[in-house]
Amino acid sequence: MTTMIEATPWDGDAYGRVAELRAIREQVRRGPSERATEAQHAKGKLTARERIELLLDAGSFHEVEPLRRHRASGFGLEARRPYTDGVITGWGTVHGRTVFVYAHDFRIFGGALGEAHAQKIHKIMDKAIAAGAPLVSLNDGAGARIQEGVSALAGYGGIFQRNTRASGVIPQISVMLGPCAGGAAYSPALTDFVFMVRETSQMFITGPDVVQAVTGEKVSQNGLGGADVHAETSGVAHFAYDDEGTCIEEVRYLLSLLPSNNRQMPPAVDCQDPATRRGDALLSLVPVDGSRPYDMRKVIEEIVDDGEFLEVHERWATNIICALSRLDGQVVGIVANQPQTLAGVLDIEASEKAARFVQMCDAFNIPIVTLLDVPGFLPGVDQEHGGIIRHGAKLLYAYCNATVPRISLILRKAYGGAYIVMDSQSIGADLTYAWPTNEIAVMGAEGAANVIFRRQIAEADDPDAMRAAMVKEYKSELMHPYYAAERGLVDDVIDPVETREVLIRSLAMLRTKHADLPSRKHGNPPT
Ligand SMILES: CC(=O)SCCNC(=O)CCNC(=O)[C@H](O)C(C)(C)COP(=O)(O)OP(=O)(O)OC[C@H]1O[C@@H](n2cnc3c(N)ncnc32)[C@H](O)[C@@H]1OP(=O)(O)O
């Protein structure tokens, strides 16, 4: 640690005082020591200030409380009172819009959170909420500062309460850039998006040593709570990247798709991709045979502006796609079944993933486009015992509660409860469309014939021929593409090549949509 420059009672002139201030500021900027900076770099990590520089527009950072120091005592703390107290807080701009930020400085007490450190975070969170601007946390901290005991724990409580108050008011993004244990893992879990970096960031409630002591399981830090674990298995992380630079660049991209707060619309941009561009490729991308898989991502690419979209939870619950994109320059949230994985079925994880996404879109005024090709909910003992009923209900609740413009499009099959849940007209979609390849039904024809014609099939001389005849009858009666349109349950059957134009026209009409929910403290959604 380098010797601290201490401001002392002083009788010099203004020039001398300014020189002293500049020296202190320079010390604050450099941080505790060259050695600590080198150690941080040696781990493949940037310092807190380097990260802030990458996140914000050049020269836009305005720091708050750089001269803050703790007043704790014991365990030698009196002799170690570094400026910033291990967290850098302030605001700047991203793509010209105000964004608040706090960044743990791992070089100071391992970025661990003490009382003064927490109060700095509380202050910047309060300012972000008051200003109605997003908050990005750059996390690289060892949790509660052990020497400060319960004061540190209380500091976390104050962060959690503010995270919850800010939820649905301003976008909150947590970027995990080091080992984040205990309290340092819970705050991100309360925020809208969690970013992680492979190898260098971890999140866990208790580390590998405690896990081994309690359960006997031996696991590495990355095996327990690394980026891939949370982006693929637990669903705690929405995004995972190989390095900090790419990760922070993607945070900037995400911010460009979000409004500053819940009273604003997401930023629109000029669009060079014609609204009337035909999607001829769509006809060959989606096989008519409902049992053949295809990649729904290619369908999305064909429809949206310049084929660009940002997938959220790209590698978790891959049987459903949640993505932010643009149509004619306006931000939309896309929820789409992925027939390539598990035939696009809805299961526990897919329901949770899409429910949180729909909720986020609704909170931040992002219209939702739902693309359906879903054979139903995944049957099975594991799913039932795992609570598919309440998890599926989360998705249902999120859609039913959403007041943003909602458009659904049935590409191919949409069966049973999954059809209802995936934003059917009956739960409040503003406009519903279908391609001429759609099959909307309670279940597939084979299953349906086995239930309703069971006796005829069993008593027939040739049960297989009878089953085939009954399947045919069921299909022609109930599963033709115009059955739902005749009943007004879809607003139109559209030519697939015109999908982009239809969606853009519909969204333009819905832009002024206004809907109020009945007054209440809050709902009681299934959890
Ligand atoms: C509510 C809650 O938050 S409970 C959770 C409380 N936190 C914890 O249990 C985590 C304890 N710390 C650790 O397990 C490890 O330090 C890790 C995994 C975070 C980081 O490990 P490493 O990268 O090897 O760093 P290392 O252990 O050397 O720590 C770096 C510095 O931070 C200090 N430090 C680490 N954790 C803490 C802490 N919680 N409080 C105070 N100082 C800490 C270390 O003493 C060390 O200080 P030094 O540079 O003066 O020697």
Side-chain angles (χ1 to χ4, degrees):
M1 177 106 26
T2 47
T3 316
M4 291 277 299
I5 298 171
E6 297 281 350
T8 46
W10 206 75
D11 56 4
D13 61 9
Y15 290 99
R17 289 197 176 209
V18 168
E20 180 189 60
L21 171 67
R22 286 180 183 158
I24 291 173
R25 282 192 161 175
E26 180 52 23
Q27 176 156 30
V28 171
R29 195 192 59 74
R30 277 203 317 269
S33 71
E34 278 304 314
R35 227 181 63 204
T37 304
E38 280 162 18
Q40 179 80 350
H41 287 161
K43 287 180 190 157
K45 302 198 295 181
L46 299 172
T47 64
R49 281 186 198 281
E50 289 165 345
R51 290 165 175 163
I52 291 173
E53 264 172 43
L54 284 182
L55 175 70
L56 300 176
D57 297 339
S60 71
F61 183 50
H62 186 105
E63 189 169 351
V64 177
E65 295 193 282
L67 306 181
R68 189 77 188 257
R69 299 162 76 183
H70 72 74
R71 289 179 294 173
S73 54
F75 307 102
L77 283 179
E78 301 88 337
R80 243 185 119 183
R81 298 177 60 232
Y83 290 119
T84 73
D85 201 40
V87 65
I88 299 169
T89 61
W91 74 87
T93 59
V94 171
H95 304 302
R97 293 189 304 153
T98 300
V99 169
F100 287 79
V101 62
Y102 70 85
H104 299 293
D105 189 339
F106 192 84
R107 300 170 302 174
I108 297 174
F109 302 120
L113 176 140
E115 189 179 30
H117 179 125
Q119 285 170 354
K120 283 182 71 176
I121 296 175
H122 297 169
K123 192 184 267 186
I124 213 68
M125 292 179 84
D126 289 341
K127 288 194 191 318
I129 296 167
L135 175 73
V136 178
S137 62
L138 302 172
N139 299 272
D140 188 4
R145 190 176 298 168
I146 295 163
Q147 303 92 318
E148 295 199 34
V150 70
S151 305
L153 299 181
Y156 267 124
I159 295 176
F160 302 157
Q161 197 200 24
R162 284 168 176 83
N163 282 139
T164 308
R165 288 268 159 86
S167 179
V169 179
I170 52 168
Q172 298 180 83
I173 298 176
S174 305
V175 192
M176 315 310 291
L177 300 164
C180 298
Y186 267 119
S187 167
L190 292 168
T191 62
D192 299 300
F193 297 100
V194 176
F195 285 69
M196 291 188 78
V197 177
R198 293 192 181 89
E199 301 303 326
T200 50
S201 68
Q202 297 88 25
M203 293 172 79
F204 29 71
I205 298 301
T206 52
D209 295 349
V210 178
V211 169
Q212 190 176 359
V214 175
T215 69
E217 293 162 299
K218 261 190 134 168
V219 64
S220 66
Q221 283 199 11
N222 273 322
L224 185 63
D228 286 332
V229 166
H230 287 313
E232 290 173 28
T233 309
S234 72
V236 168
H238 300 79
F239 303 97
Y241 299 99
D242 287 338
D243 61 272
E244 293 194 9
T246 313
C247 179
I248 294 174
E249 192 51 45
E250 290 298 306
V251 173
R252 286 175 57 87
Y253 179 38
L254 173 62
L255 282 165
S256 76
L257 297 165
L258 299 173
S260 292
N261 59 58
N262 64 333
R263 298 180 305 278
Q264 292 184 5
M265 295 301 289
V269 296
D270 283 341
C271 175
Q272 304 306 318
D273 193 354
T276 53
R277 174 173 56 77
R278 288 164 58 88
D280 292 300
L282 292 171
L283 294 178
S284 51
L285 275 176
V286 182
V288 175
D289 176 356
S291 60
R292 284 185 51 202
Y294 62 93
D295 187 358
M296 182 66 91
R297 273 177 300 209
K298 297 218 161 73
V299 173
I300 297 172
E301 246 171 58
E302 189 60 31
I303 296 171
V304 300
D305 292 357
D306 305 310
E308 250 184 50
F309 59 95
L310 176 66
E311 236 190 288
V312 178
H313 273 141
E314 184 182 357
R315 294 169 66 187
W316 179 60
T318 53
N319 40 329
I320 202 154
I321 296 172
C322 296
L324 290 168
S325 188
R326 283 199 156 90
L327 278 169
D328 203 27
Q330 306 280 344
V331 177
V332 288
I334 294 176
V335 181
N337 308 112
Q338 171 57 292
Q340 199 170 253
T341 309
L342 292 172
V345 79
L346 284 184
D347 60 2
I348 290 173
E349 293 187 340
S351 303
E352 287 193 306
K353 169 173 160 178
R356 188 94 206 285
F357 183 75
V358 167
Q359 217 167 264
M360 184 280 299
C361 289
D362 189 46
F364 293 117
N365 307 318
I366 300 173
I368 301 164
V369 172
T370 304
L371 304 176
L372 284 91
D373 194 342
V374 60
F377 277 96
L378 180 64
V381 175
D382 279 357
Q383 290 287 308
E384 295 292 352
H385 289 193
I388 181 69
I389 296 173
R390 66 188 171 83
H391 293 294
K394 289 180 192 171
L395 181 54
L396 189 50
Y397 193 101
Y399 268 122
C400 290
N401 216 29
T403 56
V404 286
R406 288 157 47 187
I407 302 175
S408 62
L409 168 66
I410 300 145
L411 276 60
R412 219 167 47 163
K413 60 196 175 304
Y415 295 157
Y419 155 71
I420 309 172
V421 169
M422 293 285 299
D423 212 13
S424 61
Q425 193 183 84
S426 58
I427 65 163
D430 296 295
L431 287 164
T432 53
Y433 297 108
W435 283 1
T437 38
N438 86 80
E439 278 183 358
I440 309 172
V442 175
M443 61 178 74
E446 290 283 342
N450 282 335
V451 174
I452 58 177
F453 303 123
R454 187 182 302 152
R455 191 173 313 137
Q456 291 95 315
I457 293 170
E459 288 169 0
D461 294 336
D462 183 346
D464 288 342
M466 175 61 88
R467 183 179 296 108
M470 294 294 109
V471 165
K472 200 169 167 199
E473 181 182 331
Y474 180 82
K475 276 192 167 169
S476 62
E477 284 281 323
L478 275 172
M479 291 182 71
H480 70 76
Y482 302 100
Y483 187 86
E486 284 170 10
R487 285 157 182 76
L489 294 173
V490 295
D491 291 297
D492 201 2
V493 178
I494 63 167
D495 181 341
V497 305
E498 292 168 2
T499 300
R500 175 176 163 81
E501 184 179 358
V502 170
L503 292 177
I504 287 174
R505 278 168 177 265
S506 304
L507 286 165
M509 178 281 283
L510 288 168
R511 202 155 297 139
T512 49
K513 175 187 172 185
H514 177 79
D516 283 324
L517 293 172
S519 161
R520 60 182 167 184
K521 189 172 173 193
H522 55 73
N524 184 15
T527 53

